Amino acid sequence: MNIFKYCLLAGVMALCSCHYLDKKPDNLLTEDQLWMTRANAESYLNNIYSYVHNHDGDDFTTVGASDESSVSITTVNVRQMVSGNWSASSQYFYNWGKYYAAIRKSFVFEQNIDKVPSNQLSDELKSQYKAENLFLRGYYYWEILKQYGPFVKVTGLIAQDADFAEYPRAPFDTCVAYINELMDRAQAGLPARWEASSNLGRPTKGSCMAIRVKTTMLAASPLWNGNPAFADFKNKDGLALAPATASNERWKTAADAAKALIDSNYYKLFTNLDNGGTAFDPYLSVRDIHLTNWNDEIIFANVGWNRWGWTKCASPGPGGYNMYCVTQNLVDAFVMKNGRTIDDPLSEYVETGFAPGSAPESWGHKQSEWNMYANREPRFYANVMYNARPVVPAQTADDKNYYSSDQNVNGQGRAEFYYNGKAGQKSQGSNNLTGYLPLKRISPSSNIRLDAVSFHGPWILIRYAEILLDYAEALNEYDPGNTDIITYLNLVRTRAGIPGIETVYPDAVGNKEKMREHILRERQVELCFEGDRYYTLTRRLLLGKPKYTAIYGMDVNANDNGLGFSFTGFYTRKLYQQRYWDNKMYLFPILQGDIEKNRALVQNPGW
């Protein structure tokens, strides 16, 4: 279609170099024909939506860039990144051009939507679609900002023969202000909630407010709040791209943005009572957030994603691929049922030996499981598959027995991650690296042995629990004595079935450093496998610390010599991976080819 003649600068977009797109096949619609029907206009908007990216198995944040996980295939891009095999020519997860392609299309849509005849598309729908389009533009700019830092601020269609030297990167604060401006404009035209289920997945007023929370949190965090490493990060004309001085007021701005969303009453934490339960169950409450068609905790989500792919890769062999591996680092972050961390002498945590009995809860540990996994908080059992725990996506006794060796067949289908087990190294090769797999988003109504996957639940991109944790984190940095920190942190803990923080750790109340540690742990656990951990560690300048680059797992390579579940050597902590780090990795590089095309575009520091 000849709409491709409208291009953003080539240095910003990869698509501009595709000259074959300049040719218009005779069998395609002309530009005028495209905007003559509602169906075509909506298809164009849907195409802009298609750039919304899930943090699923194709995303570095979920399968290996932070300390919560790794992926078993050594040649995938994220494994190359954490090994230091990375340059500005690598194109690893290169979303810069992709998002600018979406932004360009948003301008095309904005310029042409009013051409659709009113008998095809009402003025009311046009206004709604314009607001959705503005949100998507701001959302893609937000995605660029958190991955690459300051972007080239493009506010309209740019001629193909434009002087690229006129389009340098904008300062960080200008970028934040522009995203927030787009969100303000979008919010005015969006509803507080969608009544029709067919509209679920579209942004709302709360979605716009949430992006403002996220931009202000990024601006307040050490990565961008007066970071001395960015002192020389400037455009070619000397314009500084990063704030030179730190300001604690930025945390107040973030806290205020989060509190505004909380006070809107648009959202609430989901519990199993919202899903037909008659009594509160913390395990079902935290598990089923991701297994319901929609719920009041979801702020923005993608309703179309590859559930089969995630379930297949996250499930144990022989039915699954054993591919997405949970680290011991994350396992250790989950607290005990009494709310205490495992390094707390009062936690009652036991590292060795087999549990003498089963937990009273149906979802808890079972007798003869390793003590390391006994009496942990409900979120642990909802999110982590460990050795000897029954396989989740297997419905009948026969399906469960499929995952068991002959000596273990009993209808439970306990995952066998030990060396000679069905999901172990001998039969599955090097697929499971740590002895753990994720359970988040894995439905018990699926049967991965038969590749039958339940299609319930969108991929949640932002949810209310994250905003509550944002508020607690920002407020703790700005006003550590504020009682709201306890109130809103405890909402998350209570839903998770653990005691309030002031009950368990009263010494953290009013202590910024101690409370920060607890808040970041809550983020690590509550939002695991949702893309938050990577960006929390980068914005807080933590990802390069030794404790986050040393990745641990169980000893999956120790030969159990047929002992199976009784083999204690499996439960030995092993340094699975010592990851490479260079501080330049706090930002992704812009592709060197794009730097060369756009003479005004400067590279990120260190690349």
Side-chain angles (χ1 to χ4, degrees):
M1 295 179 290
N2 63 3
I3 55 172
F4 284 108
K5 69 182 181 180
Y6 298 107
C7 292
L8 296 179
L9 58 151
V12 175
M13 286 179 43
L15 288 181
C16 292
S17 61
C18 301
H19 297 297
Y20 67 89
L21 293 176
D22 295 334
K23 300 178 181 180
K24 181 184 71 177
D26 294 336
N27 64 333
L28 293 184
L29 296 172
T30 66
E31 183 179 340
D32 289 337
Q33 289 173 328
L34 174 65
W35 302 104
M36 285 297 99
T37 69
R38 171 177 176 170
N40 286 343
E42 289 179 339
S43 293
Y44 198 95
L45 179 60
N46 289 340
N47 182 259
I48 301 173
Y49 268 103
S50 72
Y51 290 82
V52 173
H53 183 65
N54 300 323
H55 300 294
D56 58 10
D58 294 326
D59 188 78
F60 60 96
T61 63
T62 309
V63 292
S66 76
D67 63 339
E68 68 182 8
S69 62
S70 186
V71 63
S72 62
I73 302 174
T74 59
T75 55
V76 298
N77 289 345
V78 71
R79 288 287 297 272
Q80 299 302 306
M81 287 168 51
V82 299
S83 298
N85 184 18
W86 197 13
S87 74
S89 299
S90 299
Q91 299 194 58
Y92 294 158
F93 305 99
Y94 193 61
N95 294 316
W96 178 276
K98 162 188 160 180
Y99 287 131
Y100 271 111
I103 290 166
R104 174 184 62 82
K105 291 181 180 182
S106 79
F107 287 122
V108 173
F109 182 86
E110 183 176 73
Q111 178 174 287
N112 290 282
I113 186 62
D114 285 329
K115 294 179 181 178
V116 182
S118 57
N119 64 350
Q120 288 281 317
L121 193 64
S122 68
D123 290 343
E124 182 180 3
L125 271 178
K126 287 178 183 177
S127 295
Q128 173 192 312
Y129 290 162
K130 289 176 185 177
E132 292 177 44
N133 184 57
L134 283 171
F135 171 86
L136 290 171
R137 186 185 304 160
Y139 183 82
Y140 296 136
Y141 270 126
W142 155 238
E143 290 283 1
I144 294 172
L145 186 67
K146 64 180 181 178
Q147 186 176 355
Y148 297 95
F151 49 69
V152 178
K153 179 184 173 182
V154 180
T155 58
L157 291 170
I158 297 173
Q160 196 168 4
D161 59 353
D163 183 356
F164 298 157
E166 296 178 2
Y167 297 96
R169 301 173 78 169
F172 178 85
D173 285 343
T174 300
C175 294
V176 170
Y178 183 49
I179 293 171
N180 290 342
E181 175 195 334
L182 291 171
M183 292 302 154
D184 288 342
R185 292 168 58 194
Q187 183 177 341
L190 292 172
R193 63 182 297 131
W194 296 104
E195 298 301 329
S197 60
S198 59
N199 284 326
L200 297 177
R202 299 180 187 272
T204 59
K205 291 183 184 298
S207 306
C208 300
M209 298 174 74
I211 297 301
R212 283 198 293 273
V213 176
K214 305 312 297 179
T215 58
T216 52
M217 283 293 291
L218 184 61
S221 299
L223 179 63
W224 292 107
N225 196 353
N227 183 359
F230 288 161
D232 296 324
F233 188 15
K234 300 176 180 179
N235 277 334
K236 293 182 178 180
D237 63 0
L239 178 66
L241 293 177
T245 57
S247 171
N248 214 35
E249 287 295 315
R250 290 175 179 260
W251 286 113
K252 183 179 186 304
T253 301
D256 289 346
K259 190 59 162 59
L261 181 51
I262 292 169
D263 289 344
S264 72
N265 293 316
Y266 292 154
Y267 307 100
K268 69 183 186 69
L269 292 179
F270 169 86
T271 73
N272 66 299
L273 301 177
D274 302 316
N275 202 29
T278 57
F280 172 68
D281 185 315
Y283 170 79
L284 293 178
S285 295
V286 298
R287 186 196 72 175
D288 291 350
I289 298 166
H290 302 276
L291 298 181
T292 59
N293 287 330
W294 200 266
N295 59 69
D296 288 337
E297 185 167 341
I298 300 173
I299 297 176
F300 188 53
N302 192 338
V303 296
W305 60 284
N306 190 350
R307 295 164 180 82
W308 176 87
W310 174 263
T311 305
K312 192 74 172 177
C313 294
S315 296
Y321 291 157
N322 275 350
M323 188 181 298
Y324 303 152
C325 305
V326 177
T327 66
Q328 187 70 42
N329 308 51
L330 177 61
V331 169
D332 291 345
F334 289 95
V335 299
M336 301 297 287
K337 190 189 304 184
N338 60 19
R340 295 185 178 275
T341 59
I342 66 170
D343 58 351
D344 184 337
L346 300 178
S347 69
E348 301 178 4
Y349 173 74
V350 179
E351 176 85 4
T352 60
F354 294 102
S358 298
E361 305 88 0
S362 61
W363 42 263
H365 72 275
K366 302 297 186 286
Q367 183 177 353
S368 79
E369 290 182 355
W370 197 244
N371 269 324
M372 180 186 291
Y373 314 130
N375 299 312
R376 304 297 286 270
E377 60 162 300
R379 287 179 295 195
F380 172 69
Y381 301 103
N383 289 311
V384 177
M385 167 64 73
Y386 55 85
N387 192 49
R389 185 158 177 82
V391 174
V392 170
Q395 297 177 16
T396 69
D398 182 62
D399 294 327
K400 295 177 187 300
N401 288 338
Y402 179 69
Y403 295 89
S404 298
S405 301
D406 291 344
Q407 68 271 23
N408 293 325
V409 169
N410 61 2
Q412 293 183 10
R414 300 163 75 193
E416 301 176 354
F417 293 131
Y418 54 84
Y419 181 79
N420 282 303
K422 276 203 169 183
Q425 294 290 71
K426 183 176 181 179
S427 61
Q428 298 293 319
S430 60
N431 283 6
N432 188 274
L433 304 168
T434 63
Y436 304 103
L437 295 172
L439 279 178
K440 184 168 281 187
R441 307 180 192 88
I442 306 297
S443 173
S445 60
S446 294
N447 188 339
I448 203 60
R449 172 193 179 188
L450 302 178
D451 286 338
V453 176
S454 170
F455 286 89
H456 292 297
W459 187 282
I460 301 174
L461 296 164
I462 308 175
R463 58 187 176 98
Y464 187 52
E466 182 176 348
I467 301 302
L468 294 178
L469 293 171
D470 286 336
Y471 181 51
E473 180 183 342
L475 197 59
N476 182 63
E477 299 296 333
Y478 178 74
D479 183 13
N482 197 305
T483 57
D484 271 4
I485 299 168
I486 307 302
T487 299
Y488 290 98
L489 179 61
N490 279 349
L491 288 178
V492 178
R493 290 175 64 93
T494 299
R495 195 266 300 275
I498 55 177
I501 193 70
E502 81 290 355
T503 301
V504 183
Y505 293 112
D507 61 328
V509 177
N511 185 309
K512 181 190 294 187
E513 288 71 27
K514 288 184 178 181
M515 186 59 71
R516 180 192 298 143
E517 183 177 345
H518 289 295
I519 292 170
L520 294 184
R521 182 187 293 269
E522 284 296 320
R523 295 193 77 105
Q524 181 182 11
V525 168
E526 175 70 26
L527 303 173
C528 64
F529 318 128
E530 296 183 42
D532 179 79
R533 180 64 173 172
Y534 172 82
Y535 283 116
T536 291
L537 291 179
T538 53
R539 67 178 171 81
R540 297 222 58 133
L541 290 176
L542 295 173
L543 189 53
K545 303 295 183 183
K547 68 179 294 186
Y548 304 115
T549 57
I551 307 301
Y552 292 88
M554 293 287 92
D555 193 354
V556 297
N557 293 306
N559 194 328
D560 63 283
N561 293 314
L563 292 175
F565 290 128
S566 65
F567 176 59
T568 61
F570 172 86
Y571 302 103
T572 303
R573 295 169 184 269
K574 288 291 182 179
L575 180 65
Y576 148 64
Q577 188 181 62
Q578 181 59 60
R579 292 177 175 172
Y580 172 84
W581 182 260
D582 187 304
N583 283 340
K584 69 181 181 180
M585 294 165 61
Y586 279 117
L587 296 178
F588 272 58
I590 299 172
L591 188 65
Q592 187 59 35
D594 282 347
I595 296 290
E596 293 168 359
K597 291 172 186 175
N598 178 6
R599 297 186 299 276
L601 197 60
V602 294
Q603 183 59 275
N604 279 332
W607 294 101

